[in-house]
Amino acid sequence: MKMSKCPVIFMFFLLVGCASNIDRTKVTALDQYTEKTIKESLIVGSTTKKDVIKLLGRPNSPEDYNGLNVWFYNSKKTDRRVIFLIPVINDRNQVLELTFNDAKILKDMKYQELKQ
């Protein structure tokens, strides 16, 4: 009688032990890059607004970005899993602030990544 319950209990823990919740609804093109690759791709003093749009697309803020010189890119991914009853949190929240001069050349760049 005890032997027949063991496979059922094992299957229960196996299924419960591999649950995950991944939310990518707020993920943008910024998520594809690390801080290193961003700093290699966006060079202060030479990268233009057009170059940035080709690489990352439209900024999240401001909505009307054409005439403004400060752009913000945000990307947020929620990744929470349970592996063999051990919770694993791998959330990623990236913020990139780009400042351009009047000639539309990148003047300053600030990158921040928050991981849990």
Side-chain angles (χ1 to χ4, degrees), residues 8-19:
V8 173
I9 292 171
F10 177 74
M11 288 301 293
F12 171 76
F13 281 114
L14 186 63
L15 292 174
V16 171
C18 296

Side-chain angles (χ1 to χ4, degrees), residues 16-73:
V16 171
C18 296
S20 68
N21 177 20
I22 302 173
D23 179 10
R24 290 186 175 99
T25 57
K26 296 179 183 174
V27 171
T28 63
L30 184 60
D31 184 63
Q32 301 171 16
Y33 302 97
T34 64
E35 182 176 8
K36 181 182 176 187
T37 57
I38 288 171
K39 288 184 177 181
E40 289 171 354
S41 302
L42 304 177
I43 300 163
V44 174
S46 64
T47 300
T48 65
K49 286 184 175 183
K50 254 186 196 179
D51 297 332
V52 173
I53 289 175
K54 285 179 187 175
L55 183 70
L56 298 173
R58 295 177 55 178
N60 298 97
S61 175
E63 195 168 309
D64 183 24
Y65 59 91
N66 287 323
L68 300 174
N69 289 335
V70 179
W71 293 0
F72 292 94
Y73 288 87

Side-chain angles (χ1 to χ4, degrees), residues 5 17 23 26 29 32 38 43 45 51-52 59-61 78 81-83 94 100 111-112 116:
K5 290 182 183 179
D23 179 10
K26 296 179 183 174
Q32 301 171 16
I38 288 171
I43 300 163
D51 297 332
V52 173
N60 298 97
S61 175
T78 303
R81 303 165 191 248
V82 177
I83 301 173
Q94 297 170 283
F100 299 91
Y111 177 86
Q112 184 178 14
Q116 287 187 342

